[in-house]
Amino acid sequence: PGLAALPADHKHAWCSDPSVVVATGAHPADTFLQEVHVKYRCGAAGQASAFYVVLYNDRFKASVYEIWHLSVVALHRLDVQGLVGQVEREGCGITLHPTGADRDKVRRVRALTSHPGELSADLPNGEAELAPSNLTEVPFRYSPLAAGRREVLVNFMDADNISGAAPLSSWLVCCRAKLPLVSKRYDIRLPLGRAANKKIMYTNPYSIPRVFRLRTDDPRQLSFRDNKTDFSIGGKGQQYLGLRFAARRSPGTSEVLVFINDEEDKTEECLCVSVSYS
């Protein structure tokens, strides 16, 4: 009496930590699913904590459904933004300062990321030197392959003891990427089951010689002939871009982007190639 009517299979939650708020509710899109909401206040970066969440089949908490063990590690956070197809360096640096018992020693650190193809340390040998009592900024390069948001975990490890030690510092880098404006579109028809080569004419819009770099958002579908990604064109000159499309077995249409970048990997033009397989 006095309790609201709930579905027979509704789960009820309890947490071992009284400072954590847990609740269950219906999924907004699927009536067969339920959501478990956990509200926890994180401490300073580097602090870790753990607690249990118990799900019960009844409101009296007599029948246990599942027991979860949750571990929470507070991380430093960095937000970066960029355009798909080009390399972004501005605003991508992470500042470190010596901590722990060896703070008065010079240490070499190496940055390891969960998505090295998109975010990596912009260092000649992949290592940085932490000077005692000084701040050290580690530069990164962000080169997104797709538009949207991605969270990348970055761990800074002792370069002399990578496999056997805990991270010296951990960061959560929240990356957001947007698509550049498409300057030209091409429609191509290809046969099924066979790789194909195509050429696109490109004109250097400048009156002086320039070096350009080619990139694509889907390297599995599109590559460049002879793996040639850098090319030079004279002022107002023209050159064919050799494109190689991988074989496909099922009919359909897909779009792939070709980015023509300058020497600093900033996008000069973005070409959209619509490929129809039949």
Side-chain angles (χ1 to χ4, degrees), residues 174-197:
C174 299
C175 307
R176 294 190 179 187
K178 297 181 180 180
L179 289 173
L181 295 177
V182 174
S183 56
K184 294 179 182 178
R185 293 182 178 271
Y186 298 88
D187 293 319
I188 296 178
R189 294 183 177 274
L190 298 177
L192 291 175
R194 290 186 296 172
N197 296 322

Side-chain angles (χ1 to χ4, degrees), residues 200-232:
I200 292 178
M201 177 67 74
Y202 179 71
T203 302
N204 178 9
Y206 301 95
S207 58
I208 59 175
R210 293 291 300 269
V211 175
F212 299 96
R213 293 177 177 174
L214 296 176
R215 289 181 176 270
T216 175
D217 67 332
D218 191 354
R220 294 177 300 178
Q221 180 182 359
L222 172 65
S223 59
F224 303 104
R225 293 187 61 180
D226 302 324
N227 293 323
K228 184 179 180 181
T229 57
D230 290 18
F231 62 98
S232 177

Side-chain angles (χ1 to χ4, degrees), residues 122-215:
D122 196 13
L123 299 169
N125 58 355
E127 297 180 358
E129 188 176 90
L130 287 183
S133 305
N134 289 330
L135 298 178
T136 302
E137 182 172 351
V138 180
F140 278 79
R141 63 195 308 271
Y142 174 46
S143 52
L145 298 176
R149 174 174 174 151
R150 185 189 296 279
E151 293 182 344
V152 180
L153 178 63
V154 179
N155 285 328
F156 290 93
M157 310 295 296
D158 188 336
D160 298 321
N161 189 18
I162 292 181
S163 59
L168 301 176
S169 180
S170 296
W171 287 70
L172 184 67
V173 182
C174 299
C175 307
R176 294 190 179 187
K178 297 181 180 180
L179 289 173
L181 295 177
V182 174
S183 56
K184 294 179 182 178
R185 293 182 178 271
Y186 298 88
D187 293 319
I188 296 178
R189 294 183 177 274
L190 298 177
L192 291 175
R194 290 186 296 172
N197 296 322
K198 293 293 182 179
K199 294 188 297 183
I200 292 178
M201 177 67 74
Y202 179 71
T203 302
N204 178 9
Y206 301 95
S207 58
I208 59 175
R210 293 291 300 269
V211 175
F212 299 96
R213 293 177 177 174
L214 296 176
R215 289 181 176 270

